[in-house]
Amino acid sequence: MRVGLVLGGGAVRGLAHIGILKTLKKYEIPVDFIAGTSMGGAIGGLVAAGIDIEDIEEFVLNTSSYRFMDIRLNKNGILRGEKIASILIEFLEQRGLYDIQIEDLNVPFRTVSVDLIKGEIVVFDTGSLVLAIRATTAFPGILTPVSFQDKILVDGGVLNNLPVDLVRSEGLDLVLAVDVEREHAERKPRSIFDVVYRSFTIMTTQQRRASLQYADVVFRPDVGHILAFDIGKIRECIEAGEREAENKIHEEPLATWIFHRSLSPHQYR
């Protein structure tokens, strides 16, 4: 039985994906295909490259928050994104993966971005992993878009924040999706970042809900109360992912899958 994993966008809340992946590893549930958007694309890409999830967790928790911030007002975004890209490149370079191509990853991987010129989804299934992650995390108005070939690319969440369709179309037997978006909160926005992000999530809510119907298992970590750019809540997000995965592991259909796998492990490799 082949398992596919879909990791949605959610900025800091998306770090709950780390907790989900740690738990899947704990229960020896293999992932045969990964698709992700925004933070889900970043985490998914690193895992697909063969980087251990505990190493990713350590990196995220031990990187000073100021290193992620690249504040410079310009006509395209508040954060230019060079520091985010350079940290990612540094992390991959330390493991000899600086120029790794998507087609050479350990696990098949897809991530999405949106071309602002044509208004179309761009699926990265080949080419530079660094470029693909930089493009899918280019949140509109916050991070500067990525120029690539004849395209201007931004966060894929604009049109597909939870790309379950990409995994389902590959014929996987079991599709797991992680939804870290918050439902609409009836309160005043607290900051300019909150204004931008809440506008974005309202726009994408219908599409996200439609995508979820194609997943066999949906993980919903309890991170809805955490603001999208609250970098002080990273550990809380990871722990929420672990709790949610532990709960879902003991429910159907994962409980039955694990039971049968324990009886005939060779059939599930």
Side-chain angles (χ1 to χ4, degrees):
M1 180 179 288
R2 299 173 66 235
V3 178
L5 180 64
V6 187
L7 305 176
V12 168
R13 293 192 296 271
L15 295 173
H17 297 320
I18 293 174
I20 299 287
L21 282 155
K22 286 176 64 180
T23 305
L24 294 179
K25 177 183 176 182
K26 173 183 173 181
Y27 286 93
E28 299 182 337
I29 298 176
V31 176
D32 302 292
F33 195 100
I34 301 174
T37 298
S38 198
M39 184 63 80
I43 300 298
L46 296 178
V47 171
I51 300 176
D52 191 84
I53 191 62
E54 282 82 8
D55 288 344
I56 298 173
E57 178 185 34
E58 181 180 5
F59 166 73
V60 169
L61 290 175
N62 293 332
T63 298
S64 298
S65 59
Y66 77 88
R67 293 194 64 200
F68 290 104
M69 306 306 288
D70 190 15
I71 298 176
R72 188 178 304 177
L73 292 173
N74 61 39
K75 64 180 181 180
N76 292 322
I78 296 174
L79 306 182
R80 291 188 59 189
E82 279 83 352
K83 283 190 176 181
I84 293 173
S86 67
I87 290 170
L88 170 62
I89 292 169
E90 175 187 322
F91 186 54
L92 290 169
E93 189 173 32
Q94 290 172 354
R95 290 153 179 80
L97 301 171
Y98 167 75
D99 57 355
I100 192 167
Q101 304 295 294
I102 292 174
E103 56 268 36
D104 297 326
L105 297 176
N106 290 14
V107 177
F109 173 71
R110 305 285 184 271
T111 191
V112 298
S113 188
V114 170
D115 177 16
L116 289 181
I117 295 178
K118 292 188 175 181
E120 298 175 347
I121 288 177
V122 175
V123 177
F124 282 91
D125 53 8
T126 61
S128 167
L129 177 62
V130 170
L131 171 67
I133 294 178
R134 176 67 183 87
T136 195
T137 56
F139 192 86
I142 303 298
L143 292 177
T144 305
V146 174
S147 297
F148 174 63
Q149 296 177 347
D150 58 346
K151 303 175 178 64
I152 303 296
L153 301 174
V154 296
D155 192 318
V158 170
L159 291 177
N160 194 351
N161 204 38
L162 197 64
V164 181
D165 56 316
L166 294 183
V167 177
R168 183 56 75 188
S169 66
E170 294 292 328
L172 281 299
D173 301 295
L174 187 66
V175 176
L176 316 178
V178 186
D179 179 17
V180 294
E181 277 295 4
R182 66 194 300 172
E183 295 301 325
H184 180 64
E186 296 184 6
R187 58 167 178 76
K188 292 182 179 180
R190 303 176 186 176
S191 67
I192 184 174
F193 295 105
D194 201 12
V195 169
V196 173
Y197 201 87
R198 287 179 64 188
S199 300
F200 181 82
T201 55
I202 290 171
M203 177 183 67
T204 61
T205 294
Q206 290 300 110
Q207 183 277 329
R208 175 173 56 88
R209 289 175 178 171
S211 294
L212 288 173
Q213 66 181 314
Y214 299 108
D216 299 304
V217 177
V218 179
F219 297 97
R220 290 188 174 91
D222 183 18
V223 292
H225 60 288
I226 296 174
L227 298 180
F229 300 101
D230 188 349
I231 55 179
K233 298 295 179 63
I234 290 176
R235 187 180 297 276
E236 183 177 338
C237 288
I238 295 173
E239 292 174 349
E242 289 185 76
R243 287 194 302 271
E244 171 67 0
E246 284 285 352
N247 291 333
K248 282 293 196 303
I249 286 292
H250 302 293
E251 298 177 3
E252 300 300 334
L254 282 175
T256 297
W257 188 92
I258 293 172
F259 174 73
H260 286 294
R261 177 182 170 279
S262 68
L263 296 178
S264 303
H266 64 283
Q267 295 181 10
Y268 297 91
R269 295 295 185 183

